[in-house]
Amino acid sequence: MEITLANLRRAFREDGYITDEEVLLTVYLALKLQKPLLIEGEPGVGKTELAKVLARIFQTTLIRLQCYEGLDENKALYEWNYQKQLLKIQLSKDAGCPAELEEDIFAPDYLLARPLLQAIQAEEKVVLLIDEVDKADEEFEAFLFEVLSDFQVSVPELGTLKARQIPIVLLTSNNERELSDGLKRRCLYLYLTYPAVEREVEIIRARIPDISEKLAWQLARAVAQIREQQSIRKKPSIAETLDWARALLTLGKDSLDETTVNQTLNLLLKRKADQDVFTEQVGARRLVMASQDEKR
Amino acid sequence: MTNRLEVNLVRFVHLLRLMGLRIGISEVIDALQALQEVDLAEREAVRTALQAALVKRPAEQAVFAQAFARFFASPEARAALEQEYAEKVAQQQEMLAQAAEDLQFHGAPLALSDEEKFIYASIPPSAQQRMREYIQRTAEGKRVESNFRPVLESMLRGSLAFWRKSLRTELDQLLIPLTDDEELNALLSSMEEQPEAAADALLTEDMRNIAEKDLPQARALLQKLARQLVTKIERRYRQGQRRQQLDVRKTIRHNMRYGGSLFKLRYRSHRQQKPQLLLLCDVSGSMARYASFVLQFIYSMHSVVSSIEGFVFAEDLERVTDYFQYGGDFAETMVEIMNRSQEWGRGTELATALQSLRTKYPHLLTGQTYLLIVSDTKTMKVTQAVQELAEIKRMVKDVVWLNTLPAAEWQDHSSVKAFQELVRMYPCNTLLDLEQVMRQKIIT
C-alpha cells in the first residue's frame, strides 16, 4: 500500500479502527518520516491496538517486545544459544577437531534473535511494537537509542547489524514514569485520549454491527459519564465498552435501565473500590439518565 | 517561501522554549520535515504536525495549543495583542517611575532593582504608605549618617521579598517577559497559565510556597506519585526470580542429570525485604507544611513497607502512628493531629525529641529500622542533638535525613554540616524531591 493520508484513512476504516484525524495524521507522519512513534495515554485507549492495525493493513508481521522491570538485552535483543554451543563443543571434542571451534560457536547460527534483532533482520518491513516502555528500567531506554535512531544494533562478536528494511516502530507508555528526553527526542509523539462520545458510537457500531444506534449512543454516553469521575482509578477502556455492548446484546437489551446497569457494572469497573465510588457518586439511576441525555 | 517557513518555525520554537518546553534541534528538524509532508494551507494539519514533533509531554499540550493559537493568529488578532502589550508596558513604566520617585533617601534614589520597585508599585497603598513613612523617619532622625542608606536599602529589600512571596501569583502575571524580541514579549504576556502545566509546576515548587488554593491539587498529585511508586515497588517484589548472579552450587546440582555438563544454568534470586520505617517529622513553625506532605506520602506507601511508625516533634516528641491506622481521609486526619498535637508550630529541640525516642521507644529502634528525619536542621542545642543521633544511629539500620532547606542554602548553616557528617542527607523541599529520594535512596 502506498503511504498517503487518504489510503491510510481508508485502510483504518476498513479495519474497523475508527479514530480522529489528528491520530491519523500523526501516524502518517511517522510512516513518511520513518520515525518511531511514541504513544502515551491512559490504559485502554487503543495504543497497542494501533500497532496491530498497522501490521494488518500493511499485511506484515507484528513483532512485540513487552517491557517489564529487569528487561535486559538478552531478552530484548539476542542471546547466544548456550545449549547449542555446548553440544557443539561436546561433538567437536568427541570428533577431535576443536581448532575452528571458537569461530564456529559465535556464528549467527548460534544466535537466538529476540524481538529487536528479529525486527532488524526481517526481510520484509515489519511492525515493531515496544509495549509499555515505561515499565522497563531507565538503562534499557538508553539501550534502545541505537535501534531507534539508526535502526541498527551492535553485537560484539559479530559487529554492527543494520536493518534490512526500516521497521515501523511504535512505543507505548502508560505514563507510569517520565521517559528520558533522549528517547522522546528520537520519536514523534502522540497522546491518545478516550474517544469523544460520537467517536465511541462509531467504534461500537463498526465493531458490533448488530447493535441499534440508540443503544450505542446510550452506552457511549454512559461510559463517558463514568470516565468523567476523577475518583475512579481504572476507567473503562474502549475494549470494555465493547464487551459491555456485546453483553447487553446477548441479554437481548435494546436500551439501558437501572437493573441492567447494576447487573453488568462489573464488566466496566473491575475494582471493588471503583464500583463503590460509582455507587456513591453516580449510581445506576443517574447513569441511565445521563445515557439518555442527548445534549452530551 | 521555505526560508520564511523555517524562520517562522524557529521563532515559534523559541516561544515554546520560553514557555518551558524542552525542545532539541533534532525535534526542530523533525518538525520541518513533518511540515513538508502536510498541506500548509490546512491549519489543523500544521498544528498536528508541529505537535507530534515538538510536544512530548501531556502537560505541555495545553501550553502548545495556546502558543499555536496566538503565534499563528490572524494579523488583526496579532496587532490587538501587540497593542495590549504596549499599553501594559506603558502602565508598568509609569508604575516604575512613581516607585523610583517614592523610594528616595535624601533626594537620591535608593539602589533597588526594577523588580523590587515593581513589587513596591504592586503592594497595597497602605503598605506603600508605611514604607514611605519608614524612609522618611529614617531620613529625618537626629543623627542621620550616610551609611544609613545601605541599611535602609537592605531593610526595604527584605520587606519587598516578603511581599514578593505573598503576591507571587499576581506578580507573575504582571512582570514583563524579558526577551529582546518585542513581538515574542507581546505573545508571552498574553499567555494564561494552563492548569495541566500548573500541576506540573507544583511538582517543583517549594512545598512551603504551595498556595492554599493549590493544596488539594498538590495532595492529589502526591497521591498519584505514591501510587505509581507503590505499583513499581510491588511489581519488583513479585519479581524475586529475576536473573542475578550465577548460583554455582544450584547449577552443578541441577546438571548432575546431564552427566556434569552445565546444560541449564541456575541463578541466585535476590530476596526483597520490605523496610521498616520510623518517621520523625519536624513540625515546628515553618516546617509544618513539609511534615504534612511527607506524612501523607509515606503513609500512602504502607503496602510496600512492613511497618511505619510516625512521630512529630518540635520541643518534644509525639507519636502519631495511631491516627493513620484506619485509612480515612488524609486531610481530616492531618487537621485532627494538628488540633490535638501539643508540638505543632512550636520551637525545635531535636536533642530532646531524640532522647525521648531512645528512652521511651527503644523497641522501635531495631536493626531493620530506617529512621527518616524530616527537618531543616534548625534546632537548639545542635551538639547534643548530634550526640543523641549518633547514639540512635548505632541502634538502627540506617538514618536518612530529608532536609527541607534547598541544597544551595546548606553551606550557610553550620547545623547542616554537623548532621551531614553523621547521616545521609538529601534535599527534599519539593514534591518531586520527595518522590525521588524515596524511590532512589530509601525503598530501592
Side-chain angles (χ1 to χ4, degrees), chain A residues 47-115:
Chain A
K47 301 184 292 289
T48 307
E49 187 59 25
L50 192 53
K52 292 182 186 167
V53 172
L54 283 175
R56 282 198 295 269
I57 65 177
F58 286 102
Q59 294 173 339
T60 186
T61 318
L62 171 70
I63 297 178
R64 181 173 180 166
L65 173 64
Q66 177 65 49
C67 296
Y68 53 87
E69 201 170 344
L71 176 67
D72 56 15
E73 55 183 85
N74 287 341
K75 285 274 179 283
L77 187 56
Y78 73 93
E79 198 168 16
W80 288 107
N81 190 339
Y82 174 71
Q83 281 85 350
K84 198 172 168 186
Q85 285 175 330
L86 207 65
L87 282 172
K88 173 75 178 175
I89 293 168
Q90 291 284 9
L91 288 173
S92 303
K93 213 161 73 179
D94 295 346
C97 50
E100 298 108 27
L101 189 63
E102 193 178 331
E103 255 177 43
D104 271 4
I105 60 168
F106 287 105
D109 282 353
Y110 293 87
L111 206 61
L112 288 174
R114 303 295 187 203

Side-chain angles (χ1 to χ4, degrees), chain A residues 18-30:
Chain A
I18 315 289
T19 189
D20 294 332
E21 199 61 20
E22 186 180 324
V23 175
L24 206 64
L25 186 60
T26 310
V27 173
Y28 165 76
L29 288 171

Side-chain angles (χ1 to χ4, degrees), chain B residues 108-317:
Chain B
L110 290 163
L112 296 172
S113 68
D114 276 357
E115 192 188 347
E116 284 159 341
K117 286 182 206 156
F118 189 70
I119 297 167
Y120 167 81
S122 310
I123 61 178
S126 56
Q128 285 182 353
Q129 175 71 23
R130 278 201 300 279
M131 262 186 214
R132 283 199 300 272
E133 283 170 8
Y134 181 73
I135 296 172
Q136 203 176 354
R137 277 202 305 278
T138 313
E140 287 172 357
K142 274 186 183 168
R143 290 166 56 196
V144 179
E145 291 174 23
S146 59
N147 60 5
F148 278 19
R149 173 181 282 273
V151 177
L152 178 64
E153 285 166 351
S154 163
M155 297 282 283
L156 287 177
R157 271 192 210 108
S159 172
L160 291 168
F162 164 78
W163 279 106
R164 204 207 181 303
K165 272 185 191 163
S166 332
L167 294 174
R168 204 162 43 91
T169 322
E170 291 89 330
L171 287 171
D172 283 347
Q173 282 169 5
L174 285 168
L175 282 177
I176 302 167
L178 297 171
T179 77
D180 47 11
D181 185 329
E182 287 297 302
E183 215 180 323
L184 285 185
N185 282 348
L187 287 169
L188 278 170
S189 76
S190 71
M191 303 292 177
E192 290 143 23
E193 196 178 31
Q194 298 301 311
E196 294 88 344
D200 233 25
L202 277 182
L203 278 177
T204 48
E205 178 73 73
D206 192 318
M207 289 181 237
R208 197 177 46 180
N209 295 339
I210 293 175
E212 203 67 33
K213 68 174 173 54
D214 293 331
L215 274 184
Q217 198 180 7
R219 294 209 188 290
L221 204 61
L222 195 65
Q223 203 70 37
K224 188 176 154 204
L225 286 179
R227 214 158 51 212
Q228 285 175 353
L229 186 53
V230 165
T231 316
K232 192 176 154 80
I233 296 163
E234 280 178 341
R235 202 167 51 224
R236 194 179 308 155
Y237 286 149
R238 283 197 294 272
Q239 288 196 345
Q241 297 307 311
R242 185 173 140 190
R243 282 186 176 188
Q244 306 268 331
Q245 270 180 310
L246 190 71
D247 188 329
V248 180
R249 248 177 76 170
K250 272 191 193 165
T251 303
I252 291 175
R253 192 182 303 149
H254 187 83
N255 286 290
M256 293 298 273
R257 68 190 78 168
Y258 306 121
S261 293
L262 303 184
F263 207 63
K264 280 189 179 163
L265 303 183
R266 285 286 174 267
Y267 296 86
R268 267 182 207 161
S269 58
H270 182 67
R271 199 161 155 253
Q272 295 278 353
Q273 235 177 6
K274 294 184 180 184
Q276 286 175 16
L277 297 183
L278 201 161
L279 195 63
L280 201 56
C281 281
D282 186 344
V283 288
S284 60
S286 61
M287 285 296 302
R289 173 66 63 78
Y290 296 109
S292 95
F293 278 118
V294 175
L295 279 167
Q296 177 180 9
F297 193 73
I298 304 272
Y299 276 94
S300 308
M301 299 188 55
H302 61 89
S303 65
V304 288
V305 290
S306 73
S307 69
I308 308 173
E309 279 290 342
F311 290 88
V312 295
F313 76 92
E315 286 172 9
D316 203 351
L317 195 69

Side-chain angles (χ1 to χ4, degrees), chain A residues 22 25-26 32 35 69 79 82-83 86 90 175-176 178 181 184-185 187-189 191 233, chain B residues 22 26-27 30 37 45 47-48 51-52 55-58 61 227-228 236 239 243 261-263:
Chain A
E22 186 180 324
L25 186 60
T26 310
K32 283 300 269 189
K35 298 278 291 185
E69 201 170 344
E79 198 168 16
Y82 174 71
Q83 281 85 350
L86 207 65
Q90 291 284 9
N175 224 344
E176 274 195 20
E178 172 102 31
D181 282 354
K184 287 183 170 174
R185 249 200 315 276
C187 305
L188 291 190
Y189 181 84
Y191 188 80
R233 259 175 72 178
Chain B
R22 296 201 294 270
S26 66
E27 284 155 315
D30 287 346
E37 298 292 341
R47 195 187 64 77
T48 305
Q51 181 170 298
V55 183
K56 307 282 170 82
R57 282 167 198 81
Q61 292 198 327
R227 214 158 51 212
Q228 285 175 353
R236 194 179 308 155
Q239 288 196 345
R243 282 186 176 188
S261 293
L262 303 184
F263 207 63

